[in-house]
Amino acid sequence: MMRCHFTLECDKRSPMKHGTACSDANEDKRTLELGGHVGFDSLPDQLVSKSVTRGFSFNILCVGETGIGKSTLMNTLFNTRFENEEASHYEKDVLLRPHTYELQESNVNLKLTIVHTIGFGDQINNEESYKPIVDYIDTQYETYLEEELKIKRSLSNFHDTRIHICLYFIAPNGHSLKSLDLLTMKKLDSKVNVIPVIAKADTVSRSELDKLKIKIMSELVRNGVQIYQFPTEDEAVAEINSSMNTHLPFAVVGSVEDVKVGNKIVKARLYPWGSVQVENENHCDFVKLREMLLRVNMDDLREQTHTRHYELYRRCKLEEMGFKDTDPNSQSFSLQETYKGKRKEFLQELQHQEETMRQTFVNKVKETEAELKEKEKELHERFEQLKRLHQEEKKNLEEKRRELEEEMNAFNRRKVAAETLMGQALQCASQPFKKDKDKKNFFSLPSACSLTSSRNLN
Ligand code: GTP
Ligand code: MG
């Protein structure tokens, strides 16, 4: 009945030009009274039912020094005991360890992922400690964006691991924030909802805690760190949220120990002088944190993550990839042209790289060739030098050989002369009975012999 009535009203209007229909329709908007129950008031119920069937995911990142009480606080927050490995103080880098759990409360299913930092603040140089945390957060956004950009996407079944809240644990025993705290929170504030908490608040006195809270907040403001503020737009929660914003950073105590106080069993930490009750608002802000995080603002944290932090990541990433909403002349943006343009750019870049690589290769070959030529020249010169040396040595040896041969010849000649002389002398000695006519010449013989030998010697 209603639909019919509305159509009739529309038809009565004068024909509208395409593009002006919406604004004109808004101007002519009328409120109609329903004649009876139609049923669209069940839409919220339908949404609730659908969401409950699908279940929810909520992801918490705990950033804090080793042993500061991260695991204990998570156990206390969800009133259970998650697996809890103690981290070592000797990690080379900061690591992130995620664990996913399926929880159920009433008929609501929650896929809870808790991510802990391992070895945060344990390195000698902590300048880069924030990087693995930022990288982890970005990786989760990247995974979601990839799913969104798929042709066949199934975001309803997709396990969303984007971090909805980052609890930053501040040590209670300092005068204020450390530079590591400031640096890390500054790097994280545009990526994720950051809520700072003062850990192990039972280890400082009330007055010290108040002073510490004021100091921390003023340092955060002074350094432009934008922590998550509980939203005050919704009237239903405006009052409680604006009051809770003044209590930040929450000073928390964690414990899963059941202690009997009076006739009640409560979660507390027992000391020789008394007990600190986790859920007692006079003892610490644990209840405030739990209320704000889980009961009042869980949906806002999820929404802020999607509409603010993820949107920023997505926008930067898509712009980096060449996508834009309008071109500088405000003409409509074409996906096809962007793709073509990017492809062209990519191919040009590839060509340029190829050309650079080719040029580098040619230069290297030229350099090597020149080096080899230089080496060849050096070797040639060395060879010539050796050759010259060898020839000189050969010449000297020839000379020496000639001299030795001459010496040998002279020696041989002298030897022959000596042998001849010796033979003649022996001959003379073997004739003792010669005739008397020869006797007068006997004494003149040696002079004849010596004459012969002296001639031979020459
Ligand atoms: P890692 O995972 O090893 O980095 O440690 P963690 O930050 O998870 O700390 P964990 O919860 O394991 O607690 C370390 C120690 O601090 C344990 O002995 C806890 O009992 C103790 N502790 C935890 N919370 C509190 C607290 O609120 N107050 C006090 N005084 N001690 C606490
Ligand atoms: Mg732990």
Side-chain angles (χ1 to χ4, degrees), residues 70-72 84-87 116:
K70 303 180 289 291
S71 305
T72 312
N84 187 8
E85 280 169 50
E86 265 182 38
H116 286 282

Side-chain angles (χ1 to χ4, degrees), residues 65 139 170 176 236 239 284 289 329 346 359 400 404 435:
E65 291 165 20
T139 308
I170 300 166
S176 176
E239 198 180 330
C284 72
L289 176 73
N329 307 323
F346 174 73
Q359 200 54 46
K400 273 207 172 127
L404 280 172
K435 289 177 184 168

Side-chain angles (χ1 to χ4, degrees), residues 341-398:
K342 268 280 145 187
R343 191 165 182 274
K344 202 171 146 197
E345 236 174 66
F346 174 73
L347 287 175
Q348 275 172 353
E349 175 72 9
L350 206 70
Q351 216 173 356
H352 175 71
Q353 274 184 9
E354 208 178 290
E355 184 58 34
T356 319
M357 274 172 77
R358 206 178 58 79
Q359 200 54 46
T360 316
F361 179 71
V362 168
N363 288 347
K364 276 250 177 288
V365 168
K366 272 187 189 162
E367 266 173 35
T368 318
E369 233 173 48
E371 271 174 28
L372 281 174
K373 268 190 185 152
E374 189 67 24
K375 283 226 166 88
E376 194 186 336
K377 204 173 138 198
E378 271 175 27
L379 276 173
H380 195 71
E381 275 171 13
R382 181 105 186 100
F383 174 72
E384 286 296 319
Q385 198 187 3
L386 282 172
K387 202 168 136 190
R388 269 200 307 277
L389 271 176
H390 176 72
Q391 273 172 354
E392 265 171 35
E393 262 179 32
K394 198 176 159 191
K395 208 171 131 194
N396 287 346
L397 281 172
E398 281 288 324

Side-chain angles (χ1 to χ4, degrees), residues 71-88:
S71 305
T72 312
L73 189 75
M74 286 302 107
N75 289 344
T76 321
L77 206 58
F78 290 94
N79 201 15
T80 184
R81 279 177 196 259
F82 299 113
E83 57 223 88
N84 187 8
E85 280 169 50
E86 265 182 38
S88 142

Side-chain angles (χ1 to χ4, degrees), residues 242-255:
S242 51
S243 143
M244 287 299 154
N245 279 331
T246 63
H247 285 91
L248 286 170
F250 293 137
V252 293
V253 175
S255 174

Side-chain angles (χ1 to χ4, degrees), residues 162-281:
R162 293 172 298 171
I163 297 296
H164 299 120
I165 174 76
C166 164
L167 287 178
Y168 192 92
F169 289 70
I170 300 166
N173 44 6
H175 293 300
S176 176
L177 289 171
K178 294 178 189 166
S179 51
L180 171 65
D181 300 329
L182 273 174
L183 179 70
T184 311
M185 279 195 265
K186 183 81 199 135
K187 293 287 177 187
L188 292 180
D189 70 355
S190 60
K191 303 242 156 224
V192 70
N193 301 314
V194 179
I195 297 188
V197 291
I198 300 173
K200 300 188 181 180
D202 54 324
T203 57
V204 271
S205 72
R206 184 88 244 168
S207 60
E208 279 173 339
L209 201 58
D210 292 340
K211 272 189 214 157
L212 187 60
K213 274 191 180 192
I214 294 168
K215 266 198 174 172
I216 288 172
M217 283 316 283
S218 69
E219 274 201 13
L220 288 175
V221 172
R222 201 168 343 117
N223 289 282
V225 180
Q226 300 210 324
I227 58 168
Y228 174 77
Q229 292 288 313
F230 303 117
T232 49
E233 294 83 43
D234 183 355
E235 271 178 26
V237 290
E239 198 180 330
I240 183 168
N241 275 355
S242 51
S243 143
M244 287 299 154
N245 279 331
T246 63
H247 285 91
L248 286 170
F250 293 137
V252 293
V253 175
S255 174
V256 278
E257 234 179 285
D258 289 322
V259 176
K260 193 160 187 222
V261 178
N263 50 5
K264 272 203 296 188
I265 301 283
V266 292
K267 295 267 180 272
R269 297 189 75 83
L270 260 189
Y271 296 104
W273 52 88
S275 63
V276 179
Q277 295 166 35
V278 169
E279 294 181 337
N280 186 333
E281 289 203 49

